[in-house]
Amino acid sequence: MKLLIVEDHFQLADDLSRFLGENGFVVEIADTLEKAKEKVELYHYELIILDIGLPDGSGLDVIKLLKKRKSDSGILIVTAKNAIEDKVKGLELGADDYITKPFHKAELNARVRSIIRRKKFNGSNVILINKIEIDLNSMAVKVDDKELDLTRKEYDLLLYFIYNKNRVLTKESIAEHLWGDHIDQADNFDFIYNHIKNLRKKLQQAGAGNHIRSVYGMGYKFYEL
Amino acid sequence: MKLLIVEDHFQLADDLSRFLGENGFVVEIADTLEKAKEKVELYHYELIILDIGLPDGSGLDVIKLLKKRKSDSGILIVTAKNAIEDKVKGLELGADDYITKPFHKAELNARVRSIIRRKKFNGSNVILINKIEIDLNSMAVKVDDKELDLTRKEYDLLLYFIYNKNRVLTKESIAEHLWGDHIDQADNFDFIYNHIKNLRKKLQQAGAGNHIRSVYGMGYKFYEL
DNA sequence: CAAAATTTTAAATTATTTTTGACAAAAAGT
DNA sequence: ACTTTTTGTCAAAAATAATTTAAAATTTTG
């Protein structure tokens, strides 16, 4: 479950990151509007905790960008007490909730969970790509209406691929997104071969075709056929 | 069919309003105790969804007012998980049912209908899934017309599963729903295993089959067979 | 109100499944 | 030729789930 914290105040961002990390989320931080936009375009986040007052512009731009991209990420905006207009604008633009500074970490945590829950229960939660059907509620993956039995990592991997379809994902970025920051650059990522192998086999056996192609020397790419 | 939502959290109220609107109700919102009292004195509502924790006072006052006016409106109170006294007081004062935050909209909908049905037709309110029959009024669970004897937690757990059938429920979300916000991520949820086991055994023994399956690394899922 | 019974929670143990890592040989890409 | 990736199999380590037992809390009963 990946979150992005957009917050220029290092101490706060770091603190939150650690706290949310302990609570089972994989957290990334962007400390400028520029970086936030970049990350949002490159990756998919379950939820974005967005401080509106950034040094190089308004966080509201991030919301606009997300909505333009038809993103389904949850958005929790963080505003100063006196910035009520920002809050209102943010909600109008499509943010899911807001919280005013200063706040308690426990409350942030509760709201984060609340948004994620609401998101999940809303609307259709089925992703359909060619023959592959993923129901995010039931966490079931089907090919031709036949359910396949994926392990946790395989499921996460598939989802990561699908959220980033038609993009090259390096082994490093896969490791980072599935395992979090505690991964060392010096580590060896050979175990990823295994997961790729297993996922490929299961998809292949179910008759979904060959979606995951390797890009020699770079990584992998999930093709929409 | 007119409902009043008394809720200061704009996002939630708006969300519910929309949802209930789609489900055929005419919905009004009051976001303060003051406004709620005013509306209640002026109009008649079939049912009032009442958050107890309001910025300008306790929602319990609304119940008192209604009872003084000998209103026949249904009352569904919404409380935070840790505000058990409020729930108890509310029911004592004459509320018809309660639901604790956070809740699933489908569950709210079910309860709303349940109250209205009970009020209006004094009719039965039964959920039937395969061989399992749950009477929400009498809180009785039957399999093949044989009543089974569930404890409170088992009953709640079963209901939570059934309201979310075919979805994976994590241990965390089960804990959160049945025990409330005061649950820490760091806590250990092993005791849930016990309730799962007991519920499974009772259902199995009654001949209802194996509905509750575990999804390794993810949680549990109640299958409609 | 207190004893007894039941239910819920907790802790310890066992069982199961997944994840990771290793090796080696074959295949593919540069 | 050289490097990277694929594949298979195997096995240890780690994570998760189930079971057992007992303590704590709650409810029922006399």
Side-chain angles (χ1 to χ4, degrees):
Chain A
M1 191 83 81
K2 217 155 51 110
L3 309 186
L4 176 65
I5 298 176
V6 182
E7 171 62 64
D8 61 308
H9 199 282
F10 168 76
Q11 191 61 35
L12 177 58
D14 190 56
D15 197 38
L16 285 183
S17 163
R18 193 155 313 161
F19 177 71
L20 291 167
E22 284 162 5
N23 280 272
F25 298 101
V26 176
V27 183
E28 294 188 10
I29 297 176
D31 63 352
T32 63
L33 180 62
E34 219 38 62
K35 286 184 198 162
K37 282 180 173 173
E38 203 175 303
K39 280 193 174 263
V40 156
E41 299 234 58
L42 281 172
Y43 309 108
H44 173 266
Y45 300 93
E46 203 82 21
L47 183 137
I48 295 159
I49 298 171
L50 181 64
D51 191 344
I52 298 296
L54 292 169
D56 56 338
S58 165
L60 294 174
D61 289 357
V62 177
I63 307 183
K64 285 179 197 157
L65 181 62
L66 285 165
K67 293 302 161 185
K68 205 159 70 186
R69 291 267 178 283
K70 305 226 180 289
S71 157
D72 66 341
S73 303
I75 303 169
L76 173 63
I77 54 185
V78 177
T79 62
K81 266 238 173 70
N82 48 8
I84 308 166
E85 332 78 64
D86 281 345
K87 177 194 89 186
V88 173
K89 263 188 216 154
L91 290 173
E92 274 171 2
L93 283 171
D96 295 279
D97 201 354
Y98 68 92
I99 190 168
T100 45
K101 279 187 191 175
F103 50 81
H104 285 292
K105 280 186 288 186
E107 184 175 352
L108 182 83
N109 194 32
R111 297 207 183 205
V112 164
R113 283 178 196 288
S114 157
I115 291 174
I116 288 171
R117 198 173 314 123
R118 207 157 56 206
K119 283 268 164 208
K120 281 209 171 143
F121 283 131
N122 272 340
S124 132
N125 273 311
V126 177
I127 298 172
L128 187 66
I129 288 194
N130 301 116
K131 288 182 170 184
I132 304 172
E133 187 186 326
I134 303 180
D135 186 323
L136 297 175
N137 293 329
S138 68
M139 294 175 126
V141 179
K142 286 182 184 174
V143 174
D144 287 334
D145 279 320
K146 220 175 57 227
E147 188 161 342
L148 41 158
D149 183 40
L150 299 185
T151 69
R152 180 70 204 253
K153 280 279 182 280
E154 287 158 8
Y155 178 83
D156 286 351
L157 185 58
L158 177 60
L159 222 54
Y160 183 50
F161 268 125
I162 282 180
Y163 280 134
N164 296 288
K165 64 183 179 188
N166 302 319
R167 282 182 182 139
V168 173
L169 300 175
T170 64
K171 271 185 290 175
E172 287 74 13
S173 86
I174 292 172
E176 211 175 303
H177 287 261
L178 264 74
W179 285 268
D181 293 332
H182 56 85
I183 292 279
D184 253 357
Q185 206 66 16
D187 282 349
N188 99 305
F189 298 122
D190 287 0
F191 61 87
I192 288 181
Y193 286 138
N194 289 308
H195 295 294
I196 298 271
K197 180 172 56 178
N198 297 334
L199 181 55
R200 268 176 171 156
K201 200 195 311 193
K202 287 184 183 176
L203 286 175
Q204 194 66 255
Q205 273 177 354
N210 177 28
H211 282 270
I212 302 167
R213 312 256 188 86
S214 42
V215 183
Y216 192 92
M218 300 229 148
Y220 296 93
K221 192 157 148 187
F222 186 96
Y223 282 85
E224 193 163 17
L225 299 176
Chain B
M1 191 84 80
K2 214 153 53 118
L3 308 187
L4 175 65
I5 298 176
V6 182
E7 171 62 63
D8 61 307
H9 198 281
F10 166 76
Q11 190 65 28
L12 176 59
D14 189 56
D15 198 39
L16 285 182
S17 162
R18 196 158 310 161
F19 176 73
L20 291 166
E22 284 162 4
N23 280 271
F25 298 102
V26 176
V27 184
E28 293 187 11
I29 297 176
D31 64 351
T32 63
L33 182 62
E34 218 39 61
K35 286 184 198 163
K37 282 180 172 172
E38 204 175 302
K39 279 190 177 265
V40 157
E41 300 233 60
L42 281 171
Y43 310 107
H44 174 264
Y45 300 93
E46 205 78 23
L47 183 135
I48 296 160
I49 298 171
L50 181 63
D51 191 344
I52 298 295
L54 293 169
D56 57 337
S58 166
L60 294 174
D61 290 357
V62 177
I63 307 183
K64 285 179 195 156
L65 182 61
L66 284 165
K67 293 303 162 186
K68 206 158 69 186
R69 291 267 179 284
K70 305 232 180 282
S71 157
D72 67 343
S73 302
I75 303 169
L76 171 62
I77 55 185
V78 177
T79 63
K81 265 283 145 63
N82 48 9
I84 306 165
E85 330 78 63
D86 282 344
K87 178 195 88 185
V88 173
K89 265 189 215 153
L91 291 174
E92 273 172 1
L93 283 169
D96 294 277
D97 199 356
Y98 70 93
I99 189 167
T100 45
K101 280 184 187 175
F103 50 81
H104 181 335
K105 278 188 292 183
E107 186 175 349
L108 181 83
N109 195 31
R111 297 207 182 205
V112 164
R113 283 178 196 289
S114 160
I115 292 174
I116 288 171
R117 212 170 304 144
R118 205 154 58 201
K119 287 258 165 212
K120 264 246 143 86
F121 316 108
N122 205 23
S124 73
N125 192 8
V126 175
I127 296 172
L128 186 66
I129 286 194
N130 301 117
K131 288 182 169 184
I132 304 171
E133 187 186 326
I134 303 178
D135 187 322
L136 296 175
N137 294 332
S138 67
M139 293 176 111
V141 179
K142 287 181 185 174
V143 174
D144 288 333
D145 279 322
K146 217 174 58 224
E147 186 158 346
L148 40 158
D149 183 39
L150 298 186
T151 68
R152 181 65 210 262
K153 280 279 180 280
E154 287 158 9
Y155 178 81
D156 285 350
L157 186 58
L158 176 60
L159 223 55
Y160 185 48
F161 268 124
I162 283 180
Y163 282 131
N164 296 287
K165 65 182 180 188
N166 301 319
R167 284 184 163 134
V168 172
L169 300 175
T170 64
K171 271 185 293 170
E172 287 75 13
S173 85
I174 293 172
E176 216 171 295
H177 188 90
L178 266 73
W179 285 268
D181 294 331
H182 57 85
I183 294 275
D184 251 358
Q185 203 69 11
D187 280 351
N188 95 307
F189 299 124
D190 287 1
F191 57 86
I192 289 180
Y193 289 135
N194 292 310
H195 297 297
I196 298 268
K197 182 185 62 173
N198 295 335
L199 180 55
R200 270 177 172 159
K201 190 164 24 172
K202 287 184 183 176
L203 286 174
Q204 193 68 256
Q205 274 177 353
N210 176 27
H211 283 270
I212 301 166
R213 311 255 190 87
S214 41
V215 185
Y216 190 95
M218 299 187 185
Y220 294 93
K221 191 157 141 186
F222 186 96
Y223 282 84
E224 193 163 18
L225 299 176

